[in-house]
Amino acid sequence: MNFLLLLSRMTGWIVAALLGIACVVLTVRVLADRAHRKQQGLFGAWPITRIRLHELDPVFTAGAFGPTVATEVAFIGRGPMMVPGGTSDAEAWVLAVLAKGADCLFEFGTCTGKTAYLWGRNAPENSAIATITLAPSQQHEYVKGPNDTDEDTKFALNESAFDAFLYTGTPTANRVQQLYGDSKQFDETPFLGWADLVFVDGSHAQSYVESDSTKAMRIVKPGGLVLWHDYAGPGHAPGVFAALNALANTVPLRHVDGTTFVMWRRPA
């Protein structure tokens, strides 16, 4: 009888413990989902201060009906399709709108060439676009840093698999200067103070984000804008998250609410 009573109590304890563990797991999942939706950490905000979209550029100030006709662009969305290295439709729209006021545009990480194409379709008629990527035949030039993850390296090489792009064979191609090579070895000197808009979306490995960021901030002209992609927390692109959080200690970076963009405008 005592044995059965003890067994019953032990069973109750085990059930209670399992229920407790299940509650903890469920709570963590709910908090993680909430944090993801709110673009913050599990227990608080990410280090880089957030701003609203209209603070990035006044052109995004909403009217009575939402976005105004000033933000109308030529556009290709991706809808439900998964594409290599793709920005979201909202982010691609932001890049296309910003191109309308940019004469010179520079991109780290061509990938499929969609951003270059959207820039060419929406930037002023005499604008110039430069974009850099590793050619498939140059993948051996990629140099992994000591803090870079294998996953970031794999993604970078997978996105350097193109030698023809979305803009290829279109009128936009006439305005695109396609650069090939490892961005760490890229000499940005000819582009110093050249660009109104720079987009950093190459390798997400920490060493590359650090190198590309330094060059981007030299390429952008006074008053111009640098945008980084994929600031989405330590679980998404840890190299981007670590590099930009460190950079924010010395440069006033801002995270654009509702996107994975981080921005910096060079003082005029």
Side-chain angles (χ1 to χ4, degrees):
M1 187 68 178
N2 290 338
F3 173 75
L4 292 176
L5 180 60
L6 178 60
L7 181 61
S8 175
R9 288 178 177 176
M10 289 181 64
T11 301
W13 294 335
I14 292 172
V15 170
L18 290 175
L19 286 173
I21 293 171
C23 287
V24 170
V25 171
L26 180 60
T27 299
V28 169
R29 287 183 176 177
V30 169
L31 288 174
D33 180 66
R34 179 176 179 272
H36 177 74
R37 286 185 285 105
K38 289 182 172 291
Q39 293 191 310
Q40 63 182 30
L42 194 61
F43 300 107
W46 293 337
I48 298 179
T49 302
R50 275 191 291 178
I51 60 171
R52 303 296 294 273
L53 186 57
H54 69 271
E55 296 177 89
L56 170 66
D57 192 294
V59 72
F60 295 108
T61 301
F65 308 109
T68 69
V69 295
T71 63
E72 182 178 2
V73 292
F75 189 69
I76 297 177
R78 71 179 192 183
M81 298 180 185
M82 295 300 295
V83 296
T87 53
S88 70
D89 282 352
E91 292 169 340
W93 169 69
V94 169
L95 288 166
V97 173
L98 292 172
K100 295 174 70 172
D103 293 318
C104 298
L105 308 95
F106 193 100
E107 176 187 33
F108 286 88
T110 311
C111 198
T112 64
K114 179 180 177 179
T115 296
Y117 177 75
L118 291 178
W119 278 354
R121 291 283 282 125
N122 293 287
E125 185 176 350
N126 295 321
S127 63
I129 300 161
T131 177
I132 185 169
T133 188
L134 270 178
S137 62
Q138 297 174 316
Q139 290 194 0
H140 64 281
E141 298 179 14
Y142 186 93
V143 181
K144 180 182 176 183
N147 295 322
D148 297 348
T149 67
D150 291 337
E151 185 177 16
D152 283 336
T153 299
K154 178 182 177 181
F155 276 124
L157 295 179
N158 286 343
E159 293 178 5
S160 301
F162 303 95
D163 51 19
F165 308 95
L166 184 62
Y167 66 77
T168 303
T170 72
T172 289
N174 296 327
R175 283 190 279 163
V176 176
Q177 180 181 1
Q178 184 63 61
L179 306 171
Y180 292 101
D182 182 73
S183 65
K184 281 184 182 177
Q185 308 305 318
F186 169 62
D187 178 11
E188 75 276 19
T189 304
F191 294 95
L192 295 183
W194 177 78
D196 300 286
L197 176 61
V198 181
F199 186 40
V200 182
D201 193 24
S203 171
H204 292 351
Q206 184 173 344
S207 68
Y208 275 87
V209 179
E210 291 168 348
S211 175
D212 292 350
S213 297
T214 298
K215 295 178 181 184
M217 295 169 73
R218 286 164 54 83
I219 290 171
V220 71
K221 65 176 58 172
L225 181 68
V226 179
L227 280 181
W228 290 262
H229 190 225
D230 278 317
Y231 184 78
H236 174 73
V240 174
F241 195 68
L244 293 184
N245 287 339
L247 182 59
N249 290 325
T250 57
V251 176
L253 303 182
R254 295 293 182 265
H255 172 210
V256 183
D257 192 28
T259 74
T260 66
F261 288 153
V262 163
M263 62 81 67
W264 174 72
R265 190 172 293 280
R266 182 175 176 179

